Amino acid sequence: MQRFYITTPIYYVNAKPHLGHAYTTIVADALARFHRAMGFETRFLTGTDEHGDKIVQAAGKNGEQPQEYTDRISGLFRDLWPELNISNDDFIRTTEPRHKKVVQAILQKVYDSGDIYFGEYGGHYCYGCERFYTEKELEDGLCPQHKVKPEFIQEKNYFFRMSRHQQWLIEHIKANPDFVRPERYRNEVLSLLESGALDDLCISRPKTRLTWGIELPFDTDYVTYVWFDALLNYVTALDWPDGENFGKFWPVAQHLVAKDILKPHAVFWPTMLRAAGFEPYRHLNVHGYWLVKDTKMSKSLGNVVEPLDMARHYGLDPFRYFLLREMHYGNDASFSEEALVARLNADLANDLGNLFNRVLSMTRKYFGGVVPAPQDEADWTDLDRDLKELALTSCANFQQLFGCVRFSYGLEALWELVRGLNKHVDASAPWTLFKQGDTARLGTVMYCLLECMRKVALHLWPVMPESSEKMLAQLGVGVEHGAVDSGRLAGEAETWGVLAPGTALSATSQLFPRVELEAAPGPDGTDGPGGAEAPAAAKDGRKDAKAAAPVEEAAKAEPAPEIEYEDFAKVDLRVGTVVAAEQHPKADRLIRMDIDCGEEGGPRQVVGGLAEHFAPEDLIGRQVVVVANLKPRKLRGLTSHGMVLAVRDGEAMRLLTPSEPVNPGRKVS
Ligand code: ME8
């Protein structure tokens, strides 16, 4: 049997959980559910990280003892997860005896192998990060994360010979391109490793300075450095060394983290594992930050989004859908209630909700609410055949993309089917077939729609479990026929015709009503709708519900007024090749590109709002049409010399490109 083991970071208990913690945990939950539904034996771990200076300081500020304080805050995390429908199998706390035992055993193992030594060290210590920085790593003498001056500390400590494993790690990352993914983080780690010798890692703290930690087994005057302790939670929870779970799940371990803790997970952890004689984990899946008004959420800035408030107000499943659909895993994304509302109205109320409402009520009207029998496939039209093919392709794409943590693209692939189904209703006009009394063809049309809707509902289970089960129940395939989590998705990209003719359906479906923005202040403390600054999504219309209306409606838009040929001739359209592309550093919707338009001065910089639809690496090498004589314009600090032409198709975006490659710089006429 195939297996899957997924972990979240264990969160610090120095503050209560916020959107960032909820995001990683919801992603882990969706992945765990997806793998269960694909028939994998799955284990899902989360927990809390409870030792170290940071926690002692936070407890002190609250006038509490560390144990009392960690019990309380860890409880907040533990209690939040069921409210977000998180299906973790275990919740680990680093203050538990089971963890202490493992940390001490592994420290002793590494010590005995000669990879831990005693030495004196002076370094710049940041209490926020709980780590030493070298001179080189500081920015203007300050900690790059916390922007505070670290304290210079000189003391005797134990060190882990990390440098000994540097070359092995470089080779391992090179030989396993998706060990750290997405690729930008793999490159970041490789360049960090290749830029110079890796320092050894200080893994102890003298008890004279800190007692809240796990005592070193070979020197009781010291406690363990919090990262050496924390990372080991991933093996403690598998009952290393004797537990059956360790043998079953360690070989397929995958971690989820944000980019803030890339180095400990991509450098400390694999080298620690090697020193302790373990195999490396399978994948480190690194995501970006949720930003509020372009700034990372943080308690001190007061821009923290409360996940429970959002889930209670907009519904848990829609909130989970938004998080997975909105963030391109790996990139930063902006959180705003405006974006949330626009997304829910466009994707859930308009596309998915309408589909269910329309098709169920038509089935009630035409077939008394019972699944009709389709014709023999030989009698189908091309429309029916195309729809079936679209369904199987969308499901296959969803499964492939979701499994390699490209959630937004996976959902977009599924939405191609959802939108295709709405188009199919319009194109095959069941109401006309009904009027004409063509019951045989009408039966095929309705059957195909319903069978595809069943596939959509099933694939949404990892993301929106409760809504998925409701949709399935409306289609007469309730979970009483077998829980979705025991392999029900497997085979869905190849099979057809599971929905049995004769099955009774619900008469209506009111799953995703339109949502409104509250006029109350937004989570970032700014005005709600009607505030001084209109939300970016609404401004460019991209996420406005109307933007996602069926293409037919868009095509009906009023034609623009006539222009003279001379007016058109003023526009200099050129074919260019994208030679470099990257996320705009300050705007998650924008991509900065270097486009070769055959000009002497080399490629020109063009900035475009493509990030929602394309990963930068997917653009490289593509030929595009550029408006070359557009006045340069600054977009969030970067000058764009021209514009790339694209066309919106429903919610998708397509690039205009020549039918065959041409020399860069060719004029479009
Ligand atoms: O680092 N956007 O714990 P932590 C997205 N205890 N994700 C965010 C986020 C944001 N704005 N803010 C936080 C620690 N996260 C250590 C981990 S693991 C052995 C030890 C999420 O409480 C994201 O997953 O600071 C990030 O990596 C994690 O919370 C950091 O949690």
Side-chain angles (χ1 to χ4, degrees), residues 503-516:
T503 306
L505 308 178
S506 293
T508 53
S509 167
Q510 301 292 339
L511 274 180
F512 302 108
R514 286 185 69 79
V515 288
E516 300 289 337

PDB file of all heavy atoms in Angstrom, residues 503-516:
ATOM      1  N   THR A 503     -31.038   6.904  -9.624  1.00  0.00           N
ATOM      2  CA  THR A 503     -30.731   7.465  -8.302  1.00  0.00           C
ATOM      3  C   THR A 503     -31.570   8.736  -8.080  1.00  0.00           C
ATOM      4  O   THR A 503     -31.672   9.575  -8.976  1.00  0.00           O
ATOM      5  CB  THR A 503     -29.235   7.851  -8.216  1.00  0.00           C
ATOM      6  OG1 THR A 503     -28.467   6.712  -8.575  1.00  0.00           O
ATOM      7  CG2 THR A 503     -28.846   8.324  -6.835  1.00  0.00           C
ATOM      8  N   ALA A 504     -32.139   8.849  -6.869  1.00  0.00           N
ATOM      9  CA  ALA A 504     -32.946  10.045  -6.568  1.00  0.00           C
ATOM     10  C   ALA A 504     -32.046  11.195  -6.127  1.00  0.00           C
ATOM     11  O   ALA A 504     -31.125  10.998  -5.332  1.00  0.00           O
ATOM     12  CB  ALA A 504     -33.941   9.715  -5.472  1.00  0.00           C
ATOM     13  N   LEU A 505     -32.312  12.382  -6.644  1.00  0.00           N
ATOM     14  CA  LEU A 505     -31.477  13.557  -6.336  1.00  0.00           C
ATOM     15  C   LEU A 505     -32.242  14.549  -5.468  1.00  0.00           C
ATOM     16  O   LEU A 505     -33.473  14.508  -5.420  1.00  0.00           O
ATOM     17  CB  LEU A 505     -31.104  14.276  -7.644  1.00  0.00           C
ATOM     18  CG  LEU A 505     -30.482  13.447  -8.754  1.00  0.00           C
ATOM     19  CD1 LEU A 505     -30.233  14.321  -9.974  1.00  0.00           C
ATOM     20  CD2 LEU A 505     -29.169  12.860  -8.269  1.00  0.00           C
ATOM     21  N   SER A 506     -31.516  15.493  -4.870  1.00  0.00           N
ATOM     22  CA  SER A 506     -32.185  16.592  -4.166  1.00  0.00           C
ATOM     23  C   SER A 506     -32.847  17.487  -5.205  1.00  0.00           C
ATOM     24  O   SER A 506     -32.366  17.596  -6.336  1.00  0.00           O
ATOM     25  CB  SER A 506     -31.169  17.457  -3.427  1.00  0.00           C
ATOM     26  OG  SER A 506     -30.603  16.741  -2.395  1.00  0.00           O
ATOM     27  N   ALA A 507     -33.911  18.139  -4.762  1.00  0.00           N
ATOM     28  CA  ALA A 507     -34.640  19.001  -5.700  1.00  0.00           C
ATOM     29  C   ALA A 507     -33.878  20.290  -5.961  1.00  0.00           C
ATOM     30  O   ALA A 507     -33.914  20.841  -7.054  1.00  0.00           O
ATOM     31  CB  ALA A 507     -36.015  19.299  -5.138  1.00  0.00           C
ATOM     32  N   THR A 508     -33.193  20.793  -4.942  1.00  0.00           N
ATOM     33  CA  THR A 508     -32.464  22.059  -5.105  1.00  0.00           C
ATOM     34  C   THR A 508     -31.126  21.963  -4.388  1.00  0.00           C
ATOM     35  O   THR A 508     -30.872  21.023  -3.639  1.00  0.00           O
ATOM     36  CB  THR A 508     -33.211  23.243  -4.459  1.00  0.00           C
ATOM     37  OG1 THR A 508     -33.494  22.875  -3.116  1.00  0.00           O
ATOM     38  CG2 THR A 508     -34.460  23.619  -5.226  1.00  0.00           C
ATOM     39  N   SER A 509     -30.303  22.996  -4.611  1.00  0.00           N
ATOM     40  CA  SER A 509     -29.030  23.068  -3.903  1.00  0.00           C
ATOM     41  C   SER A 509     -28.760  24.523  -3.588  1.00  0.00           C
ATOM     42  O   SER A 509     -28.709  25.346  -4.484  1.00  0.00           O
ATOM     43  CB  SER A 509     -27.933  22.518  -4.820  1.00  0.00           C
ATOM     44  OG  SER A 509     -26.673  22.839  -4.308  1.00  0.00           O
ATOM     45  N   GLN A 510     -28.651  24.847  -2.337  1.00  0.00           N
ATOM     46  CA  GLN A 510     -28.396  26.255  -1.973  1.00  0.00           C
ATOM     47  C   GLN A 510     -27.094  26.317  -1.185  1.00  0.00           C
ATOM     48  O   GLN A 510     -27.034  26.894  -0.122  1.00  0.00           O
ATOM     49  CB  GLN A 510     -29.544  26.804  -1.105  1.00  0.00           C
ATOM     50  CG  GLN A 510     -30.911  26.767  -1.747  1.00  0.00           C
ATOM     51  CD  GLN A 510     -31.016  27.736  -2.920  1.00  0.00           C
ATOM     52  OE1 GLN A 510     -30.239  28.678  -3.023  1.00  0.00           O
ATOM     53  NE2 GLN A 510     -31.943  27.501  -3.834  1.00  0.00           N
ATOM     54  N   LEU A 511     -26.048  25.698  -1.724  1.00  0.00           N
ATOM     55  CA  LEU A 511     -24.837  25.550  -0.918  1.00  0.00           C
ATOM     56  C   LEU A 511     -23.999  26.806  -0.776  1.00  0.00           C
ATOM     57  O   LEU A 511     -23.409  27.057   0.261  1.00  0.00           O
ATOM     58  CB  LEU A 511     -23.962  24.445  -1.506  1.00  0.00           C
ATOM     59  CG  LEU A 511     -24.301  23.049  -1.045  1.00  0.00           C
ATOM     60  CD1 LEU A 511     -23.368  22.060  -1.685  1.00  0.00           C
ATOM     61  CD2 LEU A 511     -24.204  22.967   0.475  1.00  0.00           C
ATOM     62  N   PHE A 512     -23.907  27.572  -1.826  1.00  0.00           N
ATOM     63  CA  PHE A 512     -22.971  28.707  -1.793  1.00  0.00           C
ATOM     64  C   PHE A 512     -23.677  30.013  -2.123  1.00  0.00           C
ATOM     65  O   PHE A 512     -23.548  30.533  -3.238  1.00  0.00           O
ATOM     66  CB  PHE A 512     -21.824  28.466  -2.776  1.00  0.00           C
ATOM     67  CG  PHE A 512     -21.060  27.199  -2.509  1.00  0.00           C
ATOM     68  CD1 PHE A 512     -21.178  26.108  -3.351  1.00  0.00           C
ATOM     69  CD2 PHE A 512     -20.241  27.099  -1.395  1.00  0.00           C
ATOM     70  CE1 PHE A 512     -20.486  24.936  -3.106  1.00  0.00           C
ATOM     71  CE2 PHE A 512     -19.544  25.931  -1.129  1.00  0.00           C
ATOM     72  CZ  PHE A 512     -19.664  24.848  -1.983  1.00  0.00           C
ATOM     73  N   PRO A 513     -24.414  30.570  -1.147  1.00  0.00           N
ATOM     74  CA  PRO A 513     -25.072  31.849  -1.417  1.00  0.00           C
ATOM     75  C   PRO A 513     -24.033  32.953  -1.618  1.00  0.00           C
ATOM     76  O   PRO A 513     -22.889  32.824  -1.149  1.00  0.00           O
ATOM     77  CB  PRO A 513     -25.882  32.103  -0.147  1.00  0.00           C
ATOM     78  CG  PRO A 513     -25.257  31.248   0.894  1.00  0.00           C
ATOM     79  CD  PRO A 513     -24.612  30.084   0.202  1.00  0.00           C
ATOM     80  N   ARG A 514     -24.429  33.991  -2.332  1.00  0.00           N
ATOM     81  CA  ARG A 514     -23.505  35.120  -2.504  1.00  0.00           C
ATOM     82  C   ARG A 514     -23.193  35.716  -1.140  1.00  0.00           C
ATOM     83  O   ARG A 514     -24.024  35.711  -0.239  1.00  0.00           O
ATOM     84  CB  ARG A 514     -24.135  36.196  -3.396  1.00  0.00           C
ATOM     85  CG  ARG A 514     -24.173  35.809  -4.852  1.00  0.00           C
ATOM     86  CD  ARG A 514     -24.683  36.955  -5.678  1.00  0.00           C
ATOM     87  NE  ARG A 514     -23.725  38.060  -5.725  1.00  0.00           N
ATOM     88  CZ  ARG A 514     -22.657  38.080  -6.509  1.00  0.00           C
ATOM     89  NH1 ARG A 514     -22.394  37.072  -7.319  1.00  0.00           N
ATOM     90  NH2 ARG A 514     -21.839  39.108  -6.499  1.00  0.00           N
ATOM     91  N   VAL A 515     -21.967  36.217  -0.983  1.00  0.00           N
ATOM     92  CA  VAL A 515     -21.594  36.831   0.304  1.00  0.00           C
ATOM     93  C   VAL A 515     -21.371  38.319   0.095  1.00  0.00           C
ATOM     94  O   VAL A 515     -21.058  38.761  -1.006  1.00  0.00           O
ATOM     95  CB  VAL A 515     -20.333  36.186   0.915  1.00  0.00           C
ATOM     96  CG1 VAL A 515     -20.646  34.810   1.440  1.00  0.00           C
ATOM     97  CG2 VAL A 515     -19.193  36.109  -0.085  1.00  0.00           C
ATOM     98  N   GLU A 516     -21.571  39.066   1.159  1.00  0.00           N
ATOM     99  CA  GLU A 516     -21.386  40.514   1.097  1.00  0.00           C
ATOM    100  C   GLU A 516     -20.252  40.889   2.027  1.00  0.00           C
ATOM    101  O   GLU A 516     -20.041  40.237   3.035  1.00  0.00           O
ATOM    102  CB  GLU A 516     -22.651  41.237   1.599  1.00  0.00           C
ATOM    103  CG  GLU A 516     -23.906  40.922   0.810  1.00  0.00           C
ATOM    104  CD  GLU A 516     -23.896  41.535  -0.571  1.00  0.00           C
ATOM    105  OE1 GLU A 516     -23.158  42.531  -0.747  1.00  0.00           O
ATOM    106  OE2 GLU A 516     -24.590  41.021  -1.471  1.00  0.00           O
TER     107      GLU A 516
END
